[in-house]
Every structure is written in structure tokens, then in C-alpha cells.
């Protein structure tokens, strides 16, 4: 063959390859615009040279909206990388998405939206340290994605905090075995009459290995999931059927049927009844539930007195964000009434879905990607009262935390327990999958763990700081403080909330303190100090005979009482003040008053009171407590008698 002929053949081959490459790109762009992200990703990979051949299938149902139409771009490779990354992002294959976003960034074709999704994929694959600086820059950029970047940073912080969740050790989370997780895409478990129902996109026809992987309802025995059977339920015009909920008797099902229309998944809610072992032909709920032009999915039926409540997720107008939670009353004849938005207490600017109500714990559980959590969709619970046709949500939604939630998507919670929320429960997660939700079981050990908790402290005299050997009571426990004023007691195992501590000692007013005891999460010692106020001492004056400084028998009896008080409270210090009546000269009376005070001091000292606690002072004839002459000038002996005294005052 001549050189010219060879050149012509090579040029022709190159032209064919270029034409084929352009065709791959055009097909990929069309699939992308139609929202067929799985097949679009395969075609983009083929165009970019990452894949030789393309197998065609469809991904399971998800509520994300599709991308826009293809736009001319001179950097075709960079745009293809960006869209390829977005396809895998929307398919929840964050490992591949992160890799392709990195390549798109290297090609210089990333937008703020690409940067946000890149950071989310890094976070979802356990690379939060790499995601954080990207999110910080985006959060300060002023771009429309700044708020979402801030939310992602909050998720990273929340996930780190959950690593220290002391309750996590009580949970057992396990991926279901047997036929429950056969193939790909198994999720939305529900139980009725001992039968486990779930949605799966597994292939049941080996002859269609390269055809669409559609969703169907399956059933298996709860006690043995080794075998699962597809339910013969179909809806004309719908490609996928699943996401079922059941009445308490298991004889009526509410489920979702959906298909792709003009590039988006459009879903509606249907119902079917079980009679003689057969499910009836599905009936579409009315237009108040299935509002035309909107998607309505993921039903949950809660039976109440009079009218039941049907909760569901919908993207209809009048909501707070993308997909909101709505509810509609349903009567005993299965007539549906007007739908109501569950409100901003639950709904966010993001998406909410997968509602479930656990009657025993009065907990409404749902999935949301619009709140700070651990990953994309997290499970949340809120205390809910259902009376009649209107639910009352009490308090703010609470993240169910790790290990129920993960850094990936967690949704479709369902509990079969008649008493506790996390006993014999199911949920769906893609934490161990590159693409799809899988069925998990979760159970919590509700056996209370007993922790040792103590309270200790020091009892002192208020203002002085002197230690007191007082009695201390806390709950049902009492203990005596030592001579240094310290006490130490163990709390009741069930103690939680406000705990009142009291201290008491003769001669002192009561002392009290309140300790807020949180739920026990480990052995803990609390420190609570209490001071006791000294009671006012009202000792009677010690009276003396005229011109005497000796103690009478009555005076000695009075001082014995004073001695008892001083011995009981070593912190007391007393001023001993002596006085006379007005008879006699002032110098004489000053000396007499001093001797009287000294006599009292000596009596107490001899009985064992340290002299440093007794301050002696004579005041003479000053300060009479009663006038010694009447108004007409007559002498008043009784008044003179009570003026001849020694007063004892605590100082």
C-alpha cells in the first residue's frame, strides 16, 4: 500500500473517531438534559476515553431535579468532566464524583455549584479535612451557594461531635442479610402481619440484564429473609412502584408509583386492599393528594379516632422548600380530604420525606437534608400528638444521631416495637454502597446502665468561712460533715434533674443549695459548698447584787447555758460587757463593772472556753437599760437591779 493511501485511511479513521466522539458527547448531553444521569455518565466516560463500551440501565427513584439543557462551550472536555461529576453526585456515587470534580477543577471549568458539590462529595467520603477549606472559601464568597456551604460546615462539626456520643454504644446497627439486600437498591422497609415489605431495583428478569433497572415492591418473611418475592402490583403508565405503608391490620396499602416525564420523575400515591390473599387493582388517590403537575410520594398512614392521617412528601406549591412534608385526613371509607403543609417547624429550604409515626413513643420520624446533621439526608424525630385530623408537633426536631445517621444518606425509618422507638427497627442507608440505599436494622439496649455519682463539698459559717460539722441531706441520702466541714455522699442511681441539698447544725440557720443533675453518662463527682448563717444569740443579762462582783447561783445556771452554746459552736466569739447602777462614784463604778465582766469571763474560762474567744470590757454606770428614778424623783430599786448586769454579745 502506498504512503498516500495509508495517509488517506488514517485521516478517514480519525474523522470517524471524531464523529463518533461528537456523537457520544451529544448523546451524553441529551441524556443529561433528560435527567438520565446514570446513562449520561456512561456516555460522558466513553466520550472522555474512560470507558470502551456502554451498558444501559436506569438508577432507582430519587427526588432530585434534572440538569438544564446542553449549552455551547468551547471547553468541551472541561464541561463534560463537570457534568460527569454532577451525574455521579446526583447518583450518590460520591467517590467517583469527587474524582471527576477534581479533574474538572484542574481543567479550570468549575463553578461555585461544582465547588459546593465537590466539597459535599469529599465530606461524604470521609475527607472532611479537605472539604473544610473549600467550604470556608465558598461561605465567604457571597455566591448563592454560600448558605449551603455554611450548612455543610455545620454538618462536619455535628458529625465530629457525634463521634463522642455516649449513647452510640447502646445501639446495634447491622446491614440486613439474605435476600433483603440482593442486587442494588433495597430500601423503605415496612412490616405488616409478620411480612417484611420493601422496595428494590433488583433485576428479576435475566433476559433484561441490559435493560432498565426498575423499582418494585417485594415481600419476605420477617423471621427469614432468605427468600423474597416481587408483589404483582403495577400501575398503568408507571415504570416504578414502591415506598409502601400499611394500615395496622395490614389489609390496606398506600404506595408510590412513578415514571420519568419530560426529564423528571413524577410520582403519585395509590392504594390497594388485600382480600383472600390478593391485592386489588391500585386506585389513585384524589387530586387533593395527587395535585396535578406535582410529585407526591412516600406515604405514611396513621390511624386515629374518626379520621386517619396520611403523611407524604410533595413538591407542590405553597411549601417551605423543595420536597415538603404534607398531611391529609382520610376517613374510614378511605375518602381523602384537603392536604396541609406540616409547617416550617419540620420543613426546610431543602427536602423532607420518608415520614413515619411511632405510636408508643409518640415520635414522628422523617428524613431531611435541610438541617445541620451528619450527612445528606439525616433522620430526625419530634414528639407529636395526634388527635383528630391535625398533628401537634411539640418542640424542635431532634437529630437521631450516630450510629443511626451517617455522613451519607439515611432515610425510611420504621419501627415494629410496641414500646420503644429503637427496638426492632429498620432504616435505609447508602453508607456502605457506592450508589444505592440498602436495608439496615437498628436496636437499642434500653437496659439502664448504673453509674456512680457523688456530691461533695464543704459546710462553713456564712461570712466567716469557719468549717462546721453539720448534717447534710441530698434526696434520700444523709451524711455528717467532718470536723473540717467536708462531706461526701453517693447519689441515688435514678437521680436526675433538680436535687435539693440541705445542711443543718444546732445554733445555725438552715443552709441549702440546688444541683442540676443531668442524665447519667458516666461516673461523676459534683462539688457543692453550703454555708450556714449563725443564729442570733439572745442570752439573758447576768445580774449582780448591789456593790458585788460575785456570781449568784442563778447567774451560774445562766452561764452554764452560755457555755453549752459556745462549746457547740467553736466559731463564736463573745464580748463580755460589765455595767453598774448609778450609785457611787464613776471611777469606782468603772472598776466594779470591769470586775463583774472578769468574773463572768473566769467562770466560762474555767469550764473550758478559750480566753481568746472572750473579750472583757467594763462600761461602768453608762447605758442603763431602765431609768433609776421615777418621774417625781423617787428612787427605783427594781430599775437599779437590772442595771447591775453583764451582757454577752456575739461579735
Amino acid at each position: 500500500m502506498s504512503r498516500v493511501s495509508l495517509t488517506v485511511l488514517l485521516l478517514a479513521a480519525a474523522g470517524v473517531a471524531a464523529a463518533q466522539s461528537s456523537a457520544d458527547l451529544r448523546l451524553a448531553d441529551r441524556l443529561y438534559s433528560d435527567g438520565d444521569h446514570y446513562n449520561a455518565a456512561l456516555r460522558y466516560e466513553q466520550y472522555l476515553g474512560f470507558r470502551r463500551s456502554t451498558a444501559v440501565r436506569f438508577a432507582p427513584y430519587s427526588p432530585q431535579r434534572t440538569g438544564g439543557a446542553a449549552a455551547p462551550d468551547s471547553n468541551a472536555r472541561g464541561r463534560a468532566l463537570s457534568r460527569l461529576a454532577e451525574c455521579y453526585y446526583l447518583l450518590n456515587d460520591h467517590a467517583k464524583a469527587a474524582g471527576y470534580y477534581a479533574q474538572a477543577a484542574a481543567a479550570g471549568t468549575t463553578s461555585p455549584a461544582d465547588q459546593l458539590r465537590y466539597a459535599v462529595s469529599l465530606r461524604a467520603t470521609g475527607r472532611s479535612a479537605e472539604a473544610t477549606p473549600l467550604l470556608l472559601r465558598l461561605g465567604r464568597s457571597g455566591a448563592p451557594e454560600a448558605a449551603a456551604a455554611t450548612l455543610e460546615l455545620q454538618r462536619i462539626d455535628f458529625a465530629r461531635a457525634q463521634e463522642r456520643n455516649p449513647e452510640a454504644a447502646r445501639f446495634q446497627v447491622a446491614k440486613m442479610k439474605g435476600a433483603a439486600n440482593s442486587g442494588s437498591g433495597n430500601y423503605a422497609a415496612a412490616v405488616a402481619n409478620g411480612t417484611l415489605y420493601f422496595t428494590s431495583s433488583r433485576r428479576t428478569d435475566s433476559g433484561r440484564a441490559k435493560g432498565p433497572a426498575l423499582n418494585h415492591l417485594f415481600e419476605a418473611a420477617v423471621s427469614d429473609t432468605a427468600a423474597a418475592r416481587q408483589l404483582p402490583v403495577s400501575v398503568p403508565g408507571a415504570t416504578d412502584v414502591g415506598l409502601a405503608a400499611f394500615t395496622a391490620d395490614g389489609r390496606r396499602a398506600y404506595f408510590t408509583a412513578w415514571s420519568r416525564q419530560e426529564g423528571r420523575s413524577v410520582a403519585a400515591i395509590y392504594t390497594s386492599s388485600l382480600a383472600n390473599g390478593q391485592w386489588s387493582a391500585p386506585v389513585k388517590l384524589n387530586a387533593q393528594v395527587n395535585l396535578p403537575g406535582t410529585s407526591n410520594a412516600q406515604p405514611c398512614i396513621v390511624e386515629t379516632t374518626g379520621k386517619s392521617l396520611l403523611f407524604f412528601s410533595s413538591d407542590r406549591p405553597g411549601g417551605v422548600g423543595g420536597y415538603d412534608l404534607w398531611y391529609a385526613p382520610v376517613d374510614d371509607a378511605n375518602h381523602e380530604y384537603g392536604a396541609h403543609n406540616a409547617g416550617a417547624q419540620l420543613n426546610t429550604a431543602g427536602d423532607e420525606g420518608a415520614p413515619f409515626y411511632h405510636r408508643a413513643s409518640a415520635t414522628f420520624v422523617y428524613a431531611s437534608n435541610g438541617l445541620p446533621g451528619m450527612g445528606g439526608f439525616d433522620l430526625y424525630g419530634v414528639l407529636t400528638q395526634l388527635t383528630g385530623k391535625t398533628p401537634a408537633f411539640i418542640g424542635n426536631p431532634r437529630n437521631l444521631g450516630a450510629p443511626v445517621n451517617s455522613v451519607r444518606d439515611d432515610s425510611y425509618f420504621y419501627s415494629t416495637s410496641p414500646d420503644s422507638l429503637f427496638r426492632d427497627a429498620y432504616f435505609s442507608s447508602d453508607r456502605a454502597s457506592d450508589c444505592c440505599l440498602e436495608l439496615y436494622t437498628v436496636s437499642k439496649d434500653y437496659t439502664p446502665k448504673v453509674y456512680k455519682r457523688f456530691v461533695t463539698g464543704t459546710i462553713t459559717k456564712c461570712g466567716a468561712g469557719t468549717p462546721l460539722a453539720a448534717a447534710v441531706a441530698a434526696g434520700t441520702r444523709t451524711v455528717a460533715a467532718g470536723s473540717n466541714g467536708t462531706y461526701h455522699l453517693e447519689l441515688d442511681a435514678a437521680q436526675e434533674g433538680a436535687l435539693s441539698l440541705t445542711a443543718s447544725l444546732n445554733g445555725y440557720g438552715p443552709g441549702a443549695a440546688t444541683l442540676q443533675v443531668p442524665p447519667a453518662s458516666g461516673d461523676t463527682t459534683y462539688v457543692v459548698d453550703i454555708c450556714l448563717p449563725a443564729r442570733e444569740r439572745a442570752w439573758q443579762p447576768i445580774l449582780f447584787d448591789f456593790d458585788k462582783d460575785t456570781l449568784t447561783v442563778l447567774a451560774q445556771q445562766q452561764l452554764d447555758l452560755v457555755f453549752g452554746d459556745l462549746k457547740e459552736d467553736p466559731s463564736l466569739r463573745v464580748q463580755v460587757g460589765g455595767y453598774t447602777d448609778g450609785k457611787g462614784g464613776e471611777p469606782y463604778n468603772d472598776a466594779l463593772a470591769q470586775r463583774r465582766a472578769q468574773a463572768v469571763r473566769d467562770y466560762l474560762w474555767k469550764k473550758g472556753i478559750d480566753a481568746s474567744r472572750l473579750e472583757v470590757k467594763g462600761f461602768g454606770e453608762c447605758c442603763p437599760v431602765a431609768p433609776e428614778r421615777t418621774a417625781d424623783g423617787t428612787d427605783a430599786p427594781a430599775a437599779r437591779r437590772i442595771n447591775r448586769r453583764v451582757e454577752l454579745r456575739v461579735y
Side-chain angles (χ1 to χ4, degrees), residues 15 60 84 96 122 130 137 325 349 381 403 435 586 606 617 649:
L84 173 58
K96 287 184 177 179
L122 290 173
E130 297 174 62
R137 285 197 297 271
L325 292 171
C435 67
E586 184 175 334
K606 289 176 181 178
K617 187 170 183 179
R649 297 188 181 92

Side-chain angles (χ1 to χ4, degrees), residues 31 36-42 54-60 88 91 93 96 184-185 201-203 208-214 260 434-436:
L31 292 168
D36 186 354
H37 299 112
Y38 180 85
N39 290 304
L42 300 183
T54 305
V56 180
R57 70 176 178 86
F58 289 86
Y88 279 117
L91 292 168
D93 191 338
K96 287 184 177 179
S184 61
S201 60
R202 68 187 65 189
R203 298 183 185 279
R208 296 175 61 253
K210 293 187 178 182
L214 305 177
R260 301 201 69 79
D434 290 336
C435 67
C436 308

Side-chain angles (χ1 to χ4, degrees), residues 83 95 105 173 194 253 257 278 350 354 375 425 440 513-514 538 587 596 651:
R83 288 193 167 184
V173 172
Q278 299 292 322
Y440 284 78
T514 300
R596 287 174 173 170
Y651 71 96

Side-chain angles (χ1 to χ4, degrees), residues 75 143 230:
N75 188 353
Q230 180 179 331

Side-chain angles (χ1 to χ4, degrees), residues 588-608:
Y588 182 85
N589 283 339
D590 287 344
L592 179 58
Q594 185 72 23
R595 291 195 304 274
R596 287 174 173 170
Q598 190 68 31
V600 170
R601 176 263 186 200
D602 290 345
Y603 184 87
L604 294 172
W605 172 70
K606 289 176 181 178
K607 289 185 72 69

Side-chain angles (χ1 to χ4, degrees), residues 73-336:
D73 195 327
S74 59
N75 188 353
R77 178 177 175 80
R79 180 172 59 82
L81 281 168
S82 176
R83 288 193 167 184
L84 173 58
E86 183 184 351
C87 286
Y88 279 117
Y89 176 87
L90 295 174
L91 292 168
N92 287 333
D93 191 338
H94 290 289
K96 287 184 177 179
Y100 287 131
Y101 275 128
Q103 292 189 50
T109 57
T110 57
S111 65
D114 288 337
Q115 295 167 24
L116 175 63
R117 289 190 285 264
Y118 180 28
V120 171
S121 294
L122 290 173
R123 189 260 308 149
T125 51
R127 299 161 65 184
S128 296
E130 297 174 62
T132 298
L134 297 176
L135 294 169
L136 287 171
R137 285 197 297 271
L138 192 56
R140 294 191 295 261
S141 68
E145 292 77 13
T150 300
L151 179 60
E152 284 298 318
L153 288 168
Q154 292 173 341
R155 285 175 174 156
I156 290 173
D157 290 341
F158 185 84
R160 285 172 179 162
Q162 284 298 301
E163 293 175 359
R164 303 183 297 274
N165 180 11
E167 285 292 296
R170 290 178 174 265
F171 287 85
Q172 288 187 337
V173 172
K175 180 178 171 181
M176 291 187 67
K177 298 179 180 180
N181 278 313
S182 176
S184 61
N186 300 281
Y187 56 104
V191 175
N193 295 331
T195 299
L196 172 70
Y197 296 91
F198 61 97
T199 304
S200 178
S201 60
R202 68 187 65 189
R203 298 183 185 279
T204 57
D205 184 353
S206 59
R208 296 175 61 253
K210 293 187 178 182
L214 305 177
N215 291 268
H216 298 284
L217 279 171
F218 285 76
E219 64 177 0
V222 171
S223 58
D224 182 10
T225 59
R229 181 181 73 92
Q230 180 179 331
L231 289 181
V233 176
S234 62
V235 173
T239 57
D240 300 76
V241 173
L243 311 175
F246 298 84
T247 53
D249 61 8
R251 303 188 63 81
R252 179 174 291 278
Y254 295 83
F255 61 90
T256 309
W258 67 95
S259 61
R260 301 201 69 79
Q261 300 177 18
E262 298 180 356
R264 63 186 294 263
S265 290
V266 177
I269 299 174
Y270 289 75
T271 185
S272 176
S273 297
L274 180 65
N276 299 321
Q278 299 292 322
W279 288 99
S280 65
V283 176
K284 187 177 182 179
L285 299 192
N286 67 21
Q288 296 186 81
V289 172
N290 291 310
L291 184 67
T294 67
S295 278
N296 304 277
Q298 304 170 359
C300 168
I301 187 70
V302 182
E303 296 169 85
T304 61
T305 304
K307 287 186 174 67
S308 298
L309 289 178
L310 179 73
F311 292 91
F312 60 99
S313 179
S314 176
D315 64 352
R316 67 185 60 202
V320 178
Y323 279 78
D324 272 17
L325 292 171
W326 295 74
Y327 65 91
V330 179
D331 65 19
D332 293 339
N334 201 41
H335 297 138
E336 313 93 51

